[in-house]
Amino acid sequence: MAILSGAEIFVESLYCEDVEVVFGYPGGAVLPIYDILYDAEFEHIMPHHEQGGIHAADGYARSTGKVGVCIATSGPGGTNLVTGLATAYMDSVPVIAFTGQVPRAMLGTDAFQEADITGITTPITKHNYLVQDVKDLPRIIKEAFHIAKTGRPGPVLIDIPKDVLTDKTEFSYPKEVNLPGYKPNYDGHPCQIKEAARDINNAKKPLIYAGGGVIISGASNELRQLAKGATIPVTTTLTGLGSFDERDELGLGMLGMHGTTEANLAISNADLIIAIGARFDDRVTGKLEKFAPNAKVIHIDIDPAEVGKRVNVDVPIVGDVKRILVKLNKVVEKNNREAWLNQIKEWKLLDSKQEESREDKKLSAKPIIEEIFNLTNGEALITTEVGQHQMWAAQFYKYTKPRSFMTSGGLGTMGYGFPASIGVQVGNKDSAVFALAGDGSFQMNIQEFATIAKNKIPVNIVILNNQYLGMVRQWQEMFYDKRYSSTCLRKREECPPDCSSPSSNCPEMIPDFVKVAEGYGIKAVRVTEVEEVRPALEEAINSSEPFLIDCIIEEEENVFPMVPPGGSLDKMILKGDQS
Amino acid sequence: MRHTVSVLVANEAGVLARIASLFSRRGFNIDSLSVSKTERDDISRITLVVEGDNKVLEQLTKQLNKLIVVHKTSNLTNDPIVGRDLALIKVTSTQNTRSEIMQIVDIFRGKIVDVASNSIMVEVTGDEDKINAIEKLLEPFGIKELVRTGKVAMVRGQK
């Protein structure tokens, strides 16, 4: 057996795990790793902030289903990963973060760039490790990959003191893991599956509520089989978008606060909810007491702690979504449920009724997002930041396949989407990748311009620029008497303090995104008219380099439908209700 | 309702911090917690007494089980168990009260473990009620200091 240093073991272990790419930022405590990485055979991409690195690893993981790997140094390097870890934890994304740490003898002494990163990240990782002995390193890396990608996936952090990286030991990579405290249940109880099938067969108005777990489990085909076979309409959560082809007549799109009318009405009127890989998040349920008031609930999830956490469940099935659906599909009977389907069709018309074309010809989000769908035949991989543009991206693009929409659902992390798109593009070299952003969120990780420019990562950035922190502004408009406190991004010292609407006197927004992009050597155009959208998008798609389109859209457009916070899903505010 | 929960955990650094952090961030209230070695070197046992309804307890158990370091969680509340608490109580004493205190301690099968000129230290073991009872009886003499281990518990017979 070879005698290797901790840093060499790190790299060899990543080879054993078939890691293709690592997103890492160097620093003092990880110098031994970077010395070995100099000759490593996998791709290494340096972000320009550790947060960018971990979001890129997250985007890579969500879009490929593989484990995303990132590296940061000790202290601030590690603390800069915190938002990324919490983001990955909330949405169950398999990411492994390696952090450097001060040498063992200095632990606990408040040494330079020391932070207790395992202590800090305990609540936002699936598990974490502080490596105390180089002999433990291969086992810990093996366990970390196993924990990150099995069961309900999640981020794992491994903190390695610098002297562990230089210590040497005999290296052999373990074949098995031995984790007596970690035994996810995959199969689902056969009696529960039988009971679920009985309920489905008896239901008159069943509805599937599919979450990100369907995508993680790779169960889209099985979901489709269940829905089509027994004629059950499907609504998806934000992270579940793409698990079911929205073009299908059974597809209802997203549910919840900004869900479609038909999805929310279907939930409110259903007699059976089949929740699959979803967790009844408050943005989905609205007022809990009014959520699906007439329905029995079947809940399929791999995490027992999610079952019964927020909603009382009649038939809990703990296990892997795919395995359970395979079994369920064998016992669920065919059914055409004509009356229910007709009702759904009627509800679908309600949403299309509220669509109107803008009279003032001002650009809005819808035609831009729809054009992206049209020009890419729905094959684009979309990432978003958080806010209005995120909801529009969820509403106006028709998701047809899993792993095509990467967004921070649970944590709601502004600054996620642009760096995530780097990981998505690296993991899907031939795909058209679109980073949809708001003008506010985009500035949260704008430094990653440098990463895409230097590495020629051809992501297409589309900023839906309304010069506001739009979602917060929308809430201020609706619930805070239009007091636009700190949400106007054009506001300067000379502006009137009580300004509550944009006008032609408003100052220019800072920054000019086109000029910023050009400063990084990235091609960029500004779009202000509907007619300019298609040519700009075509140019972006045809270009093999990164490209930015700054779309100046209507400032005060709101996201509808909207269920007010704490309201029940059947009481939506629709577009027409605004005035 | 009060529940007694036994948790078998890996005997390694940081385990208690993981469990404490889980309780604080999920808002679970702990009445008592005791950690100790078991018959196996690699496993420790944590005995918890927590307040909450069945739903709270179900979440707590499930969240504990999600921790990789937790091997097994059992709710012992409805099981036939032996549950014990140990208390050391330092009671003010004078020549006049000393023998009365010793009588009370005797009835409760406690032990006098230290005597000073103006105080007596009492050791008493038993279930919670018993310790509460002796504490109440000793109170009038003046309790200078009191320390309790928190409950440890084991299921009777084979399980």
Side-chain angles (χ1 to χ4, degrees), chain A residues 203-239:
Chain A
K204 293 202 164 52
K205 299 187 282 181
L207 175 69
I208 293 171
Y209 149 45
V214 175
I215 295 174
I216 294 169
S217 170
S220 291
N221 287 336
E222 289 72 17
L223 174 67
R224 185 171 177 77
Q225 211 183 321
L226 175 65
K228 297 302 277 184
T231 320
I232 311 173
V234 181
T235 177
T236 59
T237 66
L238 183 65
T239 49

mmCIF file of all heavy atoms in Angstrom, chain A residues 203-239:
data_model
loop_
_atom_site.group_PDB
_atom_site.id
_atom_site.type_symbol
_atom_site.label_atom_id
_atom_site.label_comp_id
_atom_site.label_asym_id
_atom_site.label_seq_id
_atom_site.Cartn_x
_atom_site.Cartn_y
_atom_site.Cartn_z
ATOM 1 N N ALA A 203 -61.181 6.809 -4.692
ATOM 2 C CA ALA A 203 -61.310 8.267 -4.710
ATOM 3 C C ALA A 203 -62.033 8.748 -5.960
ATOM 4 O O ALA A 203 -61.865 8.180 -7.042
ATOM 5 C CB ALA A 203 -59.931 8.908 -4.629
ATOM 6 N N LYS A 204 -62.829 9.795 -5.783
ATOM 7 C CA LYS A 204 -63.491 10.392 -6.944
ATOM 8 C C LYS A 204 -62.702 11.586 -7.459
ATOM 9 O O LYS A 204 -62.680 11.886 -8.631
ATOM 10 C CB LYS A 204 -64.899 10.839 -6.557
ATOM 11 C CG LYS A 204 -65.797 9.654 -6.229
ATOM 12 C CD LYS A 204 -67.268 10.029 -6.370
ATOM 13 C CE LYS A 204 -68.133 8.791 -6.440
ATOM 14 N NZ LYS A 204 -67.882 7.837 -5.321
ATOM 15 N N LYS A 205 -62.063 12.301 -6.517
ATOM 16 C CA LYS A 205 -61.347 13.519 -6.907
ATOM 17 C C LYS A 205 -59.925 13.513 -6.332
ATOM 18 O O LYS A 205 -59.580 14.341 -5.496
ATOM 19 C CB LYS A 205 -62.128 14.750 -6.416
ATOM 20 C CG LYS A 205 -63.523 14.840 -7.029
ATOM 21 C CD LYS A 205 -64.217 16.138 -6.669
ATOM 22 C CE LYS A 205 -64.759 16.085 -5.249
ATOM 23 N NZ LYS A 205 -65.458 17.341 -4.877
ATOM 24 N N PRO A 206 -59.128 12.553 -6.790
ATOM 25 C CA PRO A 206 -57.762 12.479 -6.245
ATOM 26 C C PRO A 206 -56.833 13.487 -6.930
ATOM 27 O O PRO A 206 -57.098 13.918 -8.059
ATOM 28 C CB PRO A 206 -57.335 11.053 -6.594
ATOM 29 C CG PRO A 206 -58.081 10.754 -7.858
ATOM 30 C CD PRO A 206 -59.375 11.528 -7.807
ATOM 31 N N LEU A 207 -55.796 13.868 -6.214
ATOM 32 C CA LEU A 207 -54.828 14.817 -6.779
ATOM 33 C C LEU A 207 -53.432 14.426 -6.310
ATOM 34 O O LEU A 207 -53.223 14.146 -5.125
ATOM 35 C CB LEU A 207 -55.161 16.237 -6.284
ATOM 36 C CG LEU A 207 -54.171 17.343 -6.681
ATOM 37 C CD1 LEU A 207 -54.242 17.594 -8.186
ATOM 38 C CD2 LEU A 207 -54.486 18.631 -5.927
ATOM 39 N N ILE A 208 -52.504 14.392 -7.255
ATOM 40 C CA ILE A 208 -51.110 14.129 -6.884
ATOM 41 C C ILE A 208 -50.423 15.467 -6.633
ATOM 42 O O ILE A 208 -50.532 16.399 -7.441
ATOM 43 C CB ILE A 208 -50.372 13.356 -7.995
ATOM 44 C CG1 ILE A 208 -50.945 11.945 -8.130
ATOM 45 C CG2 ILE A 208 -48.870 13.292 -7.701
ATOM 46 C CD1 ILE A 208 -50.436 11.186 -9.334
ATOM 47 N N TYR A 209 -49.744 15.541 -5.511
ATOM 48 C CA TYR A 209 -48.974 16.737 -5.132
ATOM 49 C C TYR A 209 -47.515 16.271 -5.094
ATOM 50 O O TYR A 209 -47.098 15.589 -4.181
ATOM 51 C CB TYR A 209 -49.544 17.260 -3.816
ATOM 52 C CG TYR A 209 -48.643 17.962 -2.830
ATOM 53 C CD1 TYR A 209 -47.723 18.937 -3.229
ATOM 54 C CD2 TYR A 209 -48.755 17.690 -1.465
ATOM 55 C CE1 TYR A 209 -46.937 19.574 -2.282
ATOM 56 C CE2 TYR A 209 -47.976 18.323 -0.521
ATOM 57 C CZ TYR A 209 -47.055 19.270 -0.941
ATOM 58 O OH TYR A 209 -46.275 19.894 -0.004
ATOM 59 N N ALA A 210 -46.778 16.570 -6.187
ATOM 60 C CA ALA A 210 -45.439 16.002 -6.359
ATOM 61 C C ALA A 210 -44.372 17.023 -6.015
ATOM 62 O O ALA A 210 -44.442 18.176 -6.443
ATOM 63 C CB ALA A 210 -45.260 15.529 -7.804
ATOM 64 N N GLY A 211 -43.391 16.614 -5.260
ATOM 65 C CA GLY A 211 -42.323 17.525 -4.852
ATOM 66 C C GLY A 211 -40.987 17.142 -5.425
ATOM 67 O O GLY A 211 -40.872 16.243 -6.273
ATOM 68 N N GLY A 212 -39.968 17.821 -4.942
ATOM 69 C CA GLY A 212 -38.606 17.587 -5.409
ATOM 70 C C GLY A 212 -38.143 16.151 -5.203
ATOM 71 O O GLY A 212 -37.257 15.672 -5.919
ATOM 72 N N GLY A 213 -38.756 15.451 -4.251
ATOM 73 C CA GLY A 213 -38.379 14.064 -3.997
ATOM 74 C C GLY A 213 -38.584 13.160 -5.206
ATOM 75 O O GLY A 213 -37.864 12.174 -5.384
ATOM 76 N N VAL A 214 -39.569 13.502 -6.044
ATOM 77 C CA VAL A 214 -39.810 12.696 -7.251
ATOM 78 C C VAL A 214 -38.598 12.798 -8.175
ATOM 79 O O VAL A 214 -38.138 11.805 -8.754
ATOM 80 C CB VAL A 214 -41.082 13.172 -7.981
ATOM 81 C CG1 VAL A 214 -41.271 12.427 -9.287
ATOM 82 C CG2 VAL A 214 -42.299 13.016 -7.086
ATOM 83 N N ILE A 215 -38.057 14.018 -8.289
ATOM 84 C CA ILE A 215 -36.905 14.235 -9.169
ATOM 85 C C ILE A 215 -35.666 13.562 -8.582
ATOM 86 O O ILE A 215 -34.929 12.865 -9.277
ATOM 87 C CB ILE A 215 -36.692 15.751 -9.373
ATOM 88 C CG1 ILE A 215 -37.885 16.331 -10.131
ATOM 89 C CG2 ILE A 215 -35.371 16.017 -10.097
ATOM 90 C CD1 ILE A 215 -37.887 17.833 -10.272
ATOM 91 N N ILE A 216 -35.454 13.750 -7.284
ATOM 92 C CA ILE A 216 -34.283 13.172 -6.628
ATOM 93 C C ILE A 216 -34.284 11.655 -6.777
ATOM 94 O O ILE A 216 -33.257 11.031 -7.018
ATOM 95 C CB ILE A 216 -34.261 13.563 -5.129
ATOM 96 C CG1 ILE A 216 -34.064 15.075 -4.984
ATOM 97 C CG2 ILE A 216 -33.171 12.808 -4.385
ATOM 98 C CD1 ILE A 216 -34.295 15.597 -3.579
ATOM 99 N N SER A 217 -35.462 11.069 -6.644
ATOM 100 C CA SER A 217 -35.583 9.613 -6.710
ATOM 101 C C SER A 217 -35.560 9.097 -8.156
ATOM 102 O O SER A 217 -35.452 7.900 -8.383
ATOM 103 C CB SER A 217 -36.883 9.201 -6.022
ATOM 104 O OG SER A 217 -37.166 7.869 -6.250
ATOM 105 N N GLY A 218 -35.666 9.997 -9.120
ATOM 106 C CA GLY A 218 -35.676 9.574 -10.526
ATOM 107 C C GLY A 218 -36.965 8.849 -10.879
ATOM 108 O O GLY A 218 -36.953 7.846 -11.590
ATOM 109 N N ALA A 219 -38.075 9.344 -10.359
ATOM 110 C CA ALA A 219 -39.328 8.599 -10.473
ATOM 111 C C ALA A 219 -40.341 9.258 -11.410
ATOM 112 O O ALA A 219 -41.538 8.990 -11.313
ATOM 113 C CB ALA A 219 -39.938 8.430 -9.086
ATOM 114 N N SER A 220 -39.872 10.097 -12.325
ATOM 115 C CA SER A 220 -40.817 10.800 -13.196
ATOM 116 C C SER A 220 -41.648 9.840 -14.046
ATOM 117 O O SER A 220 -42.846 10.050 -14.227
ATOM 118 C CB SER A 220 -40.074 11.771 -14.111
ATOM 119 O OG SER A 220 -39.563 12.820 -13.347
ATOM 120 N N ASN A 221 -41.019 8.796 -14.568
ATOM 121 C CA ASN A 221 -41.772 7.844 -15.398
ATOM 122 C C ASN A 221 -42.844 7.133 -14.586
ATOM 123 O O ASN A 221 -43.967 6.937 -15.052
ATOM 124 C CB ASN A 221 -40.826 6.808 -16.017
ATOM 125 C CG ASN A 221 -40.004 7.431 -17.137
ATOM 126 O OD1 ASN A 221 -40.420 8.425 -17.735
ATOM 127 N ND2 ASN A 221 -38.840 6.873 -17.399
ATOM 128 N N GLU A 222 -42.477 6.753 -13.371
ATOM 129 C CA GLU A 222 -43.424 6.050 -12.512
ATOM 130 C C GLU A 222 -44.570 6.986 -12.112
ATOM 131 O O GLU A 222 -45.721 6.559 -12.027
ATOM 132 C CB GLU A 222 -42.712 5.526 -11.257
ATOM 133 C CG GLU A 222 -41.756 4.360 -11.511
ATOM 134 C CD GLU A 222 -40.479 4.754 -12.230
ATOM 135 O OE1 GLU A 222 -40.154 5.965 -12.272
ATOM 136 O OE2 GLU A 222 -39.794 3.857 -12.764
ATOM 137 N N LEU A 223 -44.229 8.249 -11.900
ATOM 138 C CA LEU A 223 -45.264 9.239 -11.574
ATOM 139 C C LEU A 223 -46.235 9.373 -12.740
ATOM 140 O O LEU A 223 -47.456 9.386 -12.569
ATOM 141 C CB LEU A 223 -44.611 10.595 -11.264
ATOM 142 C CG LEU A 223 -45.564 11.768 -11.057
ATOM 143 C CD1 LEU A 223 -46.395 11.587 -9.795
ATOM 144 C CD2 LEU A 223 -44.802 13.093 -10.974
ATOM 145 N N ARG A 224 -45.674 9.452 -13.925
ATOM 146 C CA ARG A 224 -46.490 9.596 -15.125
ATOM 147 C C ARG A 224 -47.425 8.396 -15.303
ATOM 148 O O ARG A 224 -48.609 8.546 -15.612
ATOM 149 C CB ARG A 224 -45.550 9.721 -16.334
ATOM 150 C CG ARG A 224 -46.273 10.002 -17.606
ATOM 151 C CD ARG A 224 -45.370 10.333 -18.773
ATOM 152 N NE ARG A 224 -46.217 10.519 -19.941
ATOM 153 C CZ ARG A 224 -46.928 11.612 -20.141
ATOM 154 N NH1 ARG A 224 -46.852 12.618 -19.314
ATOM 155 N NH2 ARG A 224 -47.721 11.700 -21.195
ATOM 156 N N GLN A 225 -46.858 7.206 -15.048
ATOM 157 C CA GLN A 225 -47.640 5.981 -15.168
ATOM 158 C C GLN A 225 -48.829 6.001 -14.202
ATOM 159 O O GLN A 225 -49.951 5.665 -14.577
ATOM 160 C CB GLN A 225 -46.717 4.811 -14.829
ATOM 161 C CG GLN A 225 -47.053 3.525 -15.554
ATOM 162 C CD GLN A 225 -46.122 2.427 -15.078
ATOM 163 O OE1 GLN A 225 -44.930 2.650 -14.844
ATOM 164 N NE2 GLN A 225 -46.674 1.232 -14.933
ATOM 165 N N LEU A 226 -48.572 6.428 -12.979
ATOM 166 C CA LEU A 226 -49.646 6.490 -11.977
ATOM 167 C C LEU A 226 -50.713 7.490 -12.408
ATOM 168 O O LEU A 226 -51.911 7.194 -12.404
ATOM 169 C CB LEU A 226 -49.061 6.893 -10.614
ATOM 170 C CG LEU A 226 -50.068 7.115 -9.487
ATOM 171 C CD1 LEU A 226 -50.787 5.819 -9.136
ATOM 172 C CD2 LEU A 226 -49.391 7.681 -8.244
ATOM 173 N N ALA A 227 -50.250 8.683 -12.814
ATOM 174 C CA ALA A 227 -51.191 9.746 -13.164
ATOM 175 C C ALA A 227 -52.013 9.362 -14.387
ATOM 176 O O ALA A 227 -53.244 9.493 -14.384
ATOM 177 C CB ALA A 227 -50.434 11.045 -13.422
ATOM 178 N N LYS A 228 -51.361 8.877 -15.434
ATOM 179 C CA LYS A 228 -52.063 8.576 -16.679
ATOM 180 C C LYS A 228 -52.964 7.358 -16.517
ATOM 181 O O LYS A 228 -54.085 7.341 -17.008
ATOM 182 C CB LYS A 228 -51.066 8.339 -17.818
ATOM 183 C CG LYS A 228 -50.210 9.547 -18.176
ATOM 184 C CD LYS A 228 -51.027 10.753 -18.576
ATOM 185 C CE LYS A 228 -51.444 10.706 -20.052
ATOM 186 N NZ LYS A 228 -52.163 11.980 -20.396
ATOM 187 N N GLY A 229 -52.453 6.340 -15.827
ATOM 188 C CA GLY A 229 -53.206 5.094 -15.684
ATOM 189 C C GLY A 229 -54.521 5.320 -14.950
ATOM 190 O O GLY A 229 -55.582 4.865 -15.382
ATOM 191 N N ALA A 230 -54.460 6.059 -13.858
ATOM 192 C CA ALA A 230 -55.650 6.213 -13.024
ATOM 193 C C ALA A 230 -56.285 7.589 -13.194
ATOM 194 O O ALA A 230 -57.183 7.958 -12.439
ATOM 195 C CB ALA A 230 -55.292 5.976 -11.566
ATOM 196 N N THR A 231 -55.845 8.326 -14.204
ATOM 197 C CA THR A 231 -56.334 9.689 -14.463
ATOM 198 C C THR A 231 -56.344 10.542 -13.186
ATOM 199 O O THR A 231 -57.392 10.896 -12.650
ATOM 200 C CB THR A 231 -57.737 9.691 -15.104
ATOM 201 O OG1 THR A 231 -57.804 8.648 -16.066
ATOM 202 C CG2 THR A 231 -58.031 11.020 -15.773
ATOM 203 N N ILE A 232 -55.174 10.836 -12.703
ATOM 204 C CA ILE A 232 -55.052 11.686 -11.517
ATOM 205 C C ILE A 232 -54.281 12.935 -11.906
ATOM 206 O O ILE A 232 -53.149 12.838 -12.372
ATOM 207 C CB ILE A 232 -54.292 10.959 -10.376
ATOM 208 C CG1 ILE A 232 -54.876 9.567 -10.148
ATOM 209 C CG2 ILE A 232 -54.330 11.798 -9.099
ATOM 210 C CD1 ILE A 232 -54.084 8.731 -9.176
ATOM 211 N N PRO A 233 -54.882 14.109 -11.783
ATOM 212 C CA PRO A 233 -54.135 15.331 -12.097
ATOM 213 C C PRO A 233 -52.944 15.516 -11.156
ATOM 214 O O PRO A 233 -52.951 15.011 -10.029
ATOM 215 C CB PRO A 233 -55.169 16.435 -11.906
ATOM 216 C CG PRO A 233 -56.286 15.835 -11.140
ATOM 217 C CD PRO A 233 -56.260 14.374 -11.376
ATOM 218 N N VAL A 234 -51.925 16.237 -11.657
ATOM 219 C CA VAL A 234 -50.676 16.393 -10.908
ATOM 220 C C VAL A 234 -50.362 17.867 -10.741
ATOM 221 O O VAL A 234 -50.275 18.609 -11.721
ATOM 222 C CB VAL A 234 -49.495 15.738 -11.659
ATOM 223 C CG1 VAL A 234 -48.196 15.891 -10.863
ATOM 224 C CG2 VAL A 234 -49.775 14.267 -11.939
ATOM 225 N N THR A 235 -50.187 18.283 -9.514
ATOM 226 C CA THR A 235 -49.634 19.611 -9.274
ATOM 227 C C THR A 235 -48.266 19.417 -8.635
ATOM 228 O O THR A 235 -48.054 18.444 -7.916
ATOM 229 C CB THR A 235 -50.553 20.479 -8.389
ATOM 230 O OG1 THR A 235 -49.897 21.733 -8.152
ATOM 231 C CG2 THR A 235 -50.831 19.836 -7.046
ATOM 232 N N THR A 236 -47.347 20.329 -8.932
ATOM 233 C CA THR A 236 -45.997 20.159 -8.390
ATOM 234 C C THR A 236 -45.618 21.362 -7.540
ATOM 235 O O THR A 236 -46.139 22.460 -7.710
ATOM 236 C CB THR A 236 -44.939 20.020 -9.505
ATOM 237 O OG1 THR A 236 -44.993 21.175 -10.311
ATOM 238 C CG2 THR A 236 -45.185 18.799 -10.350
ATOM 239 N N THR A 237 -44.670 21.114 -6.642
ATOM 240 C CA THR A 237 -44.097 22.198 -5.864
ATOM 241 C C THR A 237 -43.069 22.915 -6.734
ATOM 242 O O THR A 237 -42.766 22.484 -7.848
ATOM 243 C CB THR A 237 -43.376 21.657 -4.625
ATOM 244 O OG1 THR A 237 -42.248 20.902 -5.067
ATOM 245 C CG2 THR A 237 -44.291 20.776 -3.797
ATOM 246 N N LEU A 238 -42.494 23.976 -6.202
ATOM 247 C CA LEU A 238 -41.466 24.717 -6.932
ATOM 248 C C LEU A 238 -40.297 23.800 -7.293
ATOM 249 O O LEU A 238 -39.834 23.770 -8.432
ATOM 250 C CB LEU A 238 -40.986 25.880 -6.057
ATOM 251 C CG LEU A 238 -39.970 26.825 -6.667
ATOM 252 C CD1 LEU A 238 -40.567 27.569 -7.849
ATOM 253 C CD2 LEU A 238 -39.483 27.829 -5.629
ATOM 254 N N THR A 239 -39.813 23.026 -6.314
ATOM 255 C CA THR A 239 -38.677 22.145 -6.603
ATOM 256 C C THR A 239 -39.109 20.889 -7.345
ATOM 257 O O THR A 239 -38.269 20.156 -7.847
ATOM 258 C CB THR A 239 -37.947 21.745 -5.306
ATOM 259 O OG1 THR A 239 -38.914 21.295 -4.377
ATOM 260 C CG2 THR A 239 -37.162 22.900 -4.723
#
